[in-house]
Structures are given as structure tokens and as C-alpha cells.
Amino acid sequence: MQRHHLRHTSFREQVLLMFLENPKIALSQSNIESSLEAFDRITLYRTMKSFVSAGVLHKAIDGGEELKYALCHEDCNPSQHNDDHPHFLCQKCGSTYCLDDVHIPSFQLPDNYKLLDIQLAISGICDRCNVHLTCNL
Amino acid sequence: MQRHHLRHTSFREQVLLMFLENPKIALSQSNIESSLEAFDRITLYRTMKSFVSAGVLHKAIDGGEELKYALCHEDCNPSQHNDDHPHFLCQKCGSTYCLDDVHIPSFQLPDNYKLLDIQLAISGICDRCNVHLTCNL
DNA sequence: TTATATTTGCAACACAATTGCATTTAATTG
DNA sequence: CAATTAAATGCAATTGTGTTGCAAATATAA
């Protein structure tokens, strides 16, 4: 399962399973805590840090208050993260989605600015909530 | 100066002047604190919150660790912020710039996703640092 | 099965941010 | 211009978040 040079423990397995169940949904630390019956805050901090530096999870900047994490692509590794997709925060249900299929369009930076990294955070209403809204009308 | 229904105080004036000196540069709270000779952290918290909700400053998401603030456009008000420009974080000097002139190109969201807000955080090397780098070569 | 190195969990700590409240200050009114 | 009122300030105390140190537990390798 985790041959990213990480040891297999039951705690890590529990956390990782939560992400594998919904591969494109980002979770905050409080999201994870509320789903774990017994958890240790400190261990969770270190688990997340290990996962990120190992290339298993990436930080999902969604413009919201909470920092969230989401599963990396297969080709991510400790030295090179490859998660340059937008993140979408639903203002209704609070879920954050990885929009892997949405390509970030290119744009023109001012002169002498050198681009190294892009993060696109989109918010609005997700497909699920949108369906519910239109049904209720 | 601040007819956004905010009272004029010397503290607020000091803070606001820092932003007016460099209108397109975003400042974090620690940036501000280090430039004020006498400051009260709590008052600064409340000042920033007042400025944001009054439409004077907006939060500049730059993908960095620190939350930064920058001057709003003229047409921002408490009910409607209008600051949909990218923010650029220089990885060398740590400065954050509002790229007012960079237009965010449109893109295609998945079906039934409704877009309400975009935040584009770009990082790299800014023009100043770029010039210094090339000079030193 | 043993040895070794990593991970875990607890306690203590450091720091950031918030709340309550008395005091001060800015705008308003007569 | 003085008195009034409402908002802003500053301090104390509190809450919350994230970190560090260390002993015990656990996973891998020999």
C-alpha cells in the first residue's frame, strides 16, 4: 500500500483509507478527527506531515479557513509534487474537490516576473448541492 | 479619508498609511507590527477585521504561510468585494504583489458546478529580485 | 526471535487569536 | 464649546493550535 518508504501502521491505514474512499475530496484535520473514534492530535499532525513529504497527500489550498489535504497523483514523490490542478470549495456543503480534469489556463505575467508555482482556488456551488437547489424550486 | 463608516483614529491612520505607501503590496500582520513602534496586537487584529469588513482591505491569498492584506479597489464596499485579481508571492524576498492588470482567463468547470469566486495564487521571482539575480551573474 | 529504528502517546510548552471589561477617544448634540 | 453617546483601545485572562521532548510501543530487518 504505502511503498513511499513509510511504515505501515494501523493509524496511518485508518487515515489513508478515508482519503481512498473519496479520492478527489480534500479533508481537513478536523474532518479526519471527527471520523476517527480514538485519535491523538499530535500523532495526526505528524502523520499528515509524513504523508505530505512522502508524496502521498498534498495540501489543497481552497481559499477557505481550514487547510485541507488530498490524495496525490500516482507520479508524486518526496522530491517532486505534481498536483497543479484547481481546488473547488463548495460554499454550501463545505466540501473541497480536486478538479483534476480542469486545466489551468496560461496567462501573461508582468515583465521580469518568473513563474514557479500556481494555485487556483475556486469556490461556488458543487454539482450535488446545485441539484438539490434546483429540485427544491 | 475613510468614509467607509469607520472612525478616524491615529492607530488606524498609521496602519492605513503603510498600505497607501505601496498600494499594490500586501502586508501581513507581522509586517505591520515590525513597522509600528508601539502597537497592541489585539487592537491590530480588530483593526484588520474592521478594514476588511468595511471594504478597505482584502485578504490576499498568496499560497504562503502568512495571511496578508492589501488595499481594495475604489469600488469595494462592505457588501461587495471586487478584488478578483491574482496575487504573486516572491519566493526570494517574500513580498506579495497584487497583479491588478493580470486578467484571469476563463476556463471550463465540470457540469453543474457554479462559479462564485476565484483566487489565483502565483509564486516565483518578482521583477526586483530577478534584476538582482541577473546583475550578480 | 532478536535487534534496531521508527512511530506513537502523553506531558509540557510556545505561540496565535479571541473575549470581557474598564478606560479612553472620536463624533454628535444642544 | 461643553456635555453626551457610541465606538475604539488596551490590558488581563482565556482559548485554541501547533510543537518539542521523551519513554513506551510497534514495525521492519537480520
Side-chain angles (χ1 to χ4, degrees), chain A residues 10 17 34 37 50 72 85 90 112 117 119 125 128 136:
Chain A
S10 76
L17 277 176
S34 53
E37 62 287 350
S50 303
C72 282
H85 55 265
C90 178
N112 293 320
D117 187 51
Q119 275 167 343
I125 311 289
R128 285 194 190 186
N136 290 342

Side-chain angles (χ1 to χ4, degrees), chain B residues 28-128:
Chain B
S28 68
Q29 231 160 287
S30 57
N31 289 152
I32 299 170
E33 289 178 4
S34 53
S35 297
L36 292 176
E37 63 287 352
F39 67 93
D40 181 62
R41 251 166 22 93
I42 295 98
T43 305
L44 187 53
Y45 282 125
R46 291 192 268 224
T47 300
M48 304 310 277
K49 192 175 284 189
S50 303
F51 279 169
V52 169
S53 62
V56 177
L57 298 179
H58 64 272
K59 294 181 180 177
I61 311 290
D62 65 358
E65 300 299 320
E66 284 186 317
L67 177 58
K68 294 191 176 179
Y69 299 87
L71 270 183
C72 282
H73 287 136
E74 299 288 330
D75 57 353
C76 285
N77 58 65
S79 56
Q80 176 78 36
H81 272 265
N82 224 347
D83 305 289
D84 51 353
H85 54 265
H87 293 106
F88 184 96
L89 169 64
C90 179
Q91 295 184 5
K92 189 148 188 286
C93 67
S95 297
T96 299
Y97 303 86
C98 289
L99 301 182
D100 290 321
D101 301 328
V102 176
H103 174 250
I104 300 180
S106 62
F107 49 87
Q108 190 65 44
L109 279 184
D111 284 349
N112 293 319
Y113 278 71
K114 186 181 166 193
L115 189 149
L116 291 176
D117 187 50
I118 302 183
Q119 275 168 343
L120 182 57
I122 309 165
S123 77
I125 311 289
C126 73
D127 54 351
R128 286 195 187 186

